Amino acid sequence: MTKGRVTVIDIAKAAGVSKSTVSLVLQGSPLVNEATRAKVNVVMRELGYVYNRGAATLRQTTAKSRIIGMVVNDLTNGFFAELAVGVDMVVQSAGFVQFLANTAENVDRQQEVIASMREHGISGLIISPARATTALDLKAITEAGIPVVTAVRNVPGAKCSSLVSDNAAGTLQAVSHLVSLGHRRIAFVGGYPDTMVFEERLRGYMEGLKSAGIARQEAYVIASSASRAGGVEAISKALKLSEPPTATVCFNDAVAFGVCDGLRSQGIEPGRGFGVVGFDDVIEAKAAVPALTTISVDPQAMGRKAAQLLLRQINAGKAEAEAVTTAVRLVVRESCGQGFPARAETA
Amino acid sequence: MTKGRVTVIDIAKAAGVSKSTVSLVLQGSPLVNEATRAKVNVVMRELGYVYNRGAATLRQTTAKSRIIGMVVNDLTNGFFAELAVGVDMVVQSAGFVQFLANTAENVDRQQEVIASMREHGISGLIISPARATTALDLKAITEAGIPVVTAVRNVPGAKCSSLVSDNAAGTLQAVSHLVSLGHRRIAFVGGYPDTMVFEERLRGYMEGLKSAGIARQEAYVIASSASRAGGVEAISKALKLSEPPTATVCFNDAVAFGVCDGLRSQGIEPGRGFGVVGFDDVIEAKAAVPALTTISVDPQAMGRKAAQLLLRQINAGKAEAEAVTTAVRLVVRESCGQGFPARAETA
DNA sequence: CTGTTAGCGCCTTCAG
DNA sequence: CTGAAGGCGCTAACAG
């Protein structure tokens, strides 16, 4: 039952110096006598002093709170949990502390937590935006001069940097992987050609074929909805071709599951003879199926990168010149045959 | 590029009232004229005012920061991620915000983050302690009158409430489950009888047998190290008995994996005929094997419970009378046969 | 119901 | 190297 919380003035008194001296010690200033510094530190320990960062932040210009906000659209999904871990690592070792909030894909909630974090004076924000997030949602905070970095998804038009996965490189790797397993008839299935993401992934697929010296086959690009059902539909079409593929690169993992379903219903076991690579789109990551190989960013690495980027901006005093979007390299994760892919081991 | 951040005084001026009036509006006091209140709110929106909670906290007695600390020993483990999600839910809807830090089982780091959180004036702390945590580690914060709740593991001697799983009820359920599947020769394998946890789990097992009217068999309690290797060892012993068991309740999931390994090496497929129930000890949760049924607390539920408990203490003004440890009910989770158990669905 | 006056704990001049 | 003021943004008493 400490009565009134102990303050700099208390410890100044007890150490027989002035408050400013104490303050200097607190900031590790070199202007203070070594002996004095030691004494002050001892007294602080004795009295159980705890630094009041709130007061400091109040006094200082602003936003030197050393707290960074992290908002995530689905913490239940292991991918994002790891993302947060990555962020936490660098944030912690930089002497910052992390606010974490989960939005569960709810934009309203997202706005609430961002507002709340602002009230607490976060020095910067890392956000994996909820689905329907628009530039407008981020306008207030970016205009306040608080550095913002988006990860995983990006928000077109927002004045902030972002980290997204390198889609083309991912599907390219997927193709190379399948080729190295001996496949030559490789299809690209799922998704509709009206999104940027689709274009990118398709492009990587094409490049992969090309660099393997495989001629492109129109019929091997099979669009469908980017869902499990879409995957089923697409693979059934594929298998009816006169020369059916022996492997597929799937637009995302939902599609990949559908493909597996479809294969099984034809008595074909995915992963044994028939290669299936799913683009781990994060969304369905938690339902990974064993027989599936997956292309995905390393979430922890992405988190670390995001945090570094943000800290750089914070230290630079202002937000980056303009919105920069960086593509993060992807990693092929072999299925592990039992349980689920050993994601942690790739970290 | 807002110049000087807008303050209560700015909005007071703009609204033609005094700062205190604004302050009252901010706190939703009923002492202010409805029209005035409305006007103030409008002006706040127009000027893009953001409440400075740090300043408020500074002025107010103390610790009304509305931020709660959450420290977790392994966020990489899906269990703890879900725990944090549970906490976040209630914390958020109570208008608090959550500091999250991961200690990766490192006590030193744990002390650092707790210190850091203290500097930021957390109103309360929920902690899933790192392995070697002692009451001493928590002494400073509890003595400062900050409510602390431990979850998952408890810290003997610490002046705080804790939430742990109901070990006995868990193994009891495990036995009942196996009995309902027709098993009568059920062994309890793994672990050494020198820990409290072992005692509790063994007791539940005994009770389970008893309530099923099955006589206890000395030979069916097989101690071993609480590891995968221990599981292999234990099951091999079990199978050599003249009347070998047809099912096992395992001390923890590491042991359970070992049991599965051992069974397979004998050509027995676990889960088909031979029942295996592992106590999901959290530690190895991420490596769940499909063929395994598991007894475990629902992590989100535990998180919610912890947060509620903490908030109650915060609102009560002071920490609970004394350390109360509450057992959380466990849930049997059927293996799902593919991928890993659909944990989220039990939430 | 609204305005005035003090600080909360800290950091920054600015002198000694 | 150290001491004395002043103020960050807000709220808690009091006055009006």
Side-chain angles (χ1 to χ4, degrees):
Chain A
M1 210 70 19
T2 43
K3 46 187 147 218
R5 150 213 228 66
V6 20
T7 83
V8 274
I9 184 167
D10 292 321
I11 89 102
K13 216 165 285 175
V17 299
S18 87
K19 333 150 197 194
S20 357
T21 308
V22 178
S23 183
L24 290 183
V25 173
L26 250 20
Q27 306 171 86
S29 163
L31 304 179
V32 55
N33 189 322
E34 198 46 58
T36 321
R37 171 206 264 18
K39 172 153 200 185
V40 168
N41 279 322
V42 169
V43 174
M44 295 206 302
R45 202 141 323 157
E46 282 176 351
L47 300 200
Y49 171 73
V50 327
Y51 185 68
N52 185 334
R53 209 169 282 276
T57 304
L58 180 56
R59 182 61 182 86
Q60 264 156 164
T61 340
T62 214
K64 299 273 320 162
S65 63
R66 298 194 85 79
I67 112 168
I68 81 103
M70 169 85 193
V71 357
V72 148
N73 54 297
D74 181 10
L75 195 57
T76 272
N77 185 322
F79 183 94
F80 296 104
E82 300 250 1
L83 189 72
V85 170
V87 169
D88 191 53
M89 279 180 178
V90 353
V91 153
Q92 248 181 67
S93 56
F96 282 65
V97 27
Q98 171 184 229
F99 269 142
L100 182 75
N102 185 36
T103 61
E105 298 290 5
N106 180 333
V107 186
D108 294 331
R109 179 164 247 192
Q110 179 173 281
Q111 291 314 99
E112 288 173 19
V113 303
I114 292 178
S116 171
M117 286 176 171
R118 284 245 282 154
E119 294 186 357
H120 284 282
I122 54 174
S123 316
L125 176 70
I126 297 174
I127 178 171
S128 165
R131 281 256 173 58
T133 306
T134 69
L136 197 79
D137 295 318
L138 263 28
K139 188 159 175 268
I141 189 166
T142 53
E143 290 205 333
I146 299 176
V148 175
V149 170
T150 68
V152 184
R153 321 219 253 239
N154 87 356
V155 179
K159 286 267 191 294
C160 58
S161 307
S162 45
L163 290 176
V164 296
S165 60
D166 187 339
N167 285 308
T171 42
L172 192 157
Q173 271 186 69
V175 171
S176 308
H177 177 71
L178 290 168
V179 167
S180 76
L181 294 178
H183 293 281
R184 306 283 299 176
R185 302 207 307 270
I186 302 170
F188 181 84
V189 305
Y192 288 116
D194 56 354
T195 67
M196 176 90 75
V197 174
F198 184 91
E199 301 293 355
E200 293 177 1
R201 292 186 185 173
L202 182 61
R203 179 158 52 81
Y205 161 78
M206 302 291 207
E207 284 171 11
L209 290 183
K210 192 167 157 194
S211 72
I214 300 174
R216 179 187 163 190
Q217 289 230 229
E218 283 288 352
Y220 282 175
V221 176
I222 304 170
S224 78
S225 93
S227 63
R228 192 156 182 165
V232 174
E233 182 197 326
I235 190 65
S236 100
K237 275 190 199 160
L239 293 178
K240 285 185 191 125
L241 294 174
S242 54
E243 273 205 325
T246 64
T248 56
V249 172
C250 304
F251 174 69
N252 66 14
D253 50 2
V255 168
F257 297 157
V259 166
C260 290
D261 293 343
L263 287 171
R264 288 208 178 100
S265 75
Q266 301 289 311
I268 303 170
E269 186 55 22
R272 308 190 39 191
F274 198 101
V276 181
V277 180
F279 207 107
D280 185 338
D281 232 356
V282 160
I283 288 62
E284 303 282 338
K286 66 176 148 187
V289 326
L292 202 58
T293 294
T294 250
I295 299 291
S296 161
V297 313
D298 173 348
Q300 279 198 24
M302 189 180 232
R304 289 194 301 267
K305 230 166 228 182
Q308 283 155 357
L309 213 179
L310 187 72
L311 290 181
R312 210 174 308 138
Q313 295 190 20
I314 290 173
N315 293 329
K318 250 338 181 213
E320 208 109 286
E322 278 309 309
V324 182
T325 116
T326 307
V328 175
R329 213 164 52 72
L330 294 150
V331 175
V332 173
R333 299 197 297 207
E334 277 293 354
S335 55
C336 67
Q338 274 194 13
F340 58 94
R343 160 168 288 148
E345 291 168 17
T346 72
Chain B
M1 209 82 1
T2 43
K3 46 185 148 220
R5 151 213 226 65
V6 20
T7 82
V8 272
I9 185 168
D10 292 321
I11 89 102
K13 217 164 286 177
V17 299
S18 88
K19 332 150 198 187
S20 358
T21 308
V22 177
S23 183
L24 290 182
V25 173
L26 250 21
Q27 306 172 79
S29 162
L31 304 179
V32 56
N33 188 321
E34 197 48 56
T36 320
R37 171 206 264 18
K39 172 151 197 185
V40 168
N41 278 322
V42 169
V43 174
M44 294 206 302
R45 201 141 322 156
E46 283 175 350
L47 299 200
Y49 171 74
V50 327
Y51 184 68
N52 185 334
R53 207 170 282 275
T57 304
L58 179 57
R59 185 61 184 88
Q60 262 157 165
T61 339
T62 215
K64 299 272 322 159
S65 63
R66 299 194 85 76
I67 114 169
I68 82 102
M70 170 84 193
V71 357
V72 148
N73 54 298
D74 181 10
L75 195 57
T76 273
N77 185 323
F79 183 95
F80 296 103
E82 301 250 1
L83 189 73
V85 169
V87 169
D88 191 53
M89 279 180 176
V90 354
V91 153
Q92 246 181 70
S93 56
F96 282 65
V97 27
Q98 173 184 227
F99 268 143
L100 182 75
N102 185 36
T103 60
E105 299 290 5
N106 180 332
V107 186
D108 295 330
R109 178 163 248 190
Q110 179 173 282
Q111 291 314 98
E112 288 173 19
V113 304
I114 293 178
S116 171
M117 287 175 170
R118 283 245 283 153
E119 293 187 355
H120 284 282
I122 53 174
S123 313
L125 176 70
I126 297 175
I127 177 172
S128 166
R131 281 255 172 60
T133 307
T134 69
L136 197 79
D137 295 318
L138 264 29
K139 188 159 175 267
I141 189 165
T142 53
E143 289 204 333
I146 299 176
V148 175
V149 170
T150 69
V152 184
R153 322 219 252 239
N154 87 357
V155 179
K159 286 264 189 296
C160 58
S161 307
S162 46
L163 290 177
V164 295
S165 60
D166 188 340
N167 285 309
T171 42
L172 192 156
Q173 271 186 69
V175 171
S176 308
H177 176 70
L178 289 167
V179 167
S180 77
L181 294 178
H183 294 281
R184 306 284 297 176
R185 304 209 303 271
I186 302 170
F188 180 84
V189 305
Y192 288 114
D194 56 353
T195 68
M196 176 89 76
V197 173
F198 183 92
E199 300 293 354
E200 293 176 0
R201 292 185 185 174
L202 183 61
R203 177 159 52 80
Y205 161 79
M206 303 289 207
E207 284 170 12
L209 291 182
K210 193 168 158 194
S211 72
I214 300 174
R216 178 189 164 189
Q217 288 230 232
E218 283 288 352
Y220 282 175
V221 175
I222 303 171
S224 79
S225 93
S227 62
R228 192 156 182 166
V232 174
E233 181 198 325
I235 189 66
S236 101
K237 275 188 199 158
L239 293 178
K240 285 185 190 126
L241 295 173
S242 55
E243 272 206 324
T246 64
T248 57
V249 172
C250 303
F251 174 69
N252 66 14
D253 48 3
V255 168
F257 297 157
V259 166
C260 289
D261 293 343
L263 287 171
R264 288 208 178 99
S265 75
Q266 300 289 311
I268 304 170
E269 185 56 22
R272 308 189 40 192
F274 198 101
V276 181
V277 180
F279 207 107
D280 185 337
D281 232 357
V282 161
I283 288 63
E284 303 283 335
K286 64 177 148 186
V289 327
L292 202 60
T293 295
T294 250
I295 300 291
S296 160
V297 315
D298 173 347
Q300 278 199 23
M302 189 180 231
R304 289 194 301 267
K305 230 166 228 180
Q308 284 156 358
L309 213 180
L310 188 71
L311 290 180
R312 209 175 307 137
Q313 295 190 20
I314 289 174
N315 293 329
K318 252 336 182 214
E320 208 109 285
E322 278 311 308
V324 181
T325 115
T326 308
V328 175
R329 213 165 50 76
L330 293 151
V331 175
V332 173
R333 298 197 299 207
E334 276 292 355
S335 54
C336 67
Q338 274 194 13
F340 58 95
R343 159 169 287 149
E345 289 168 17
T346 73

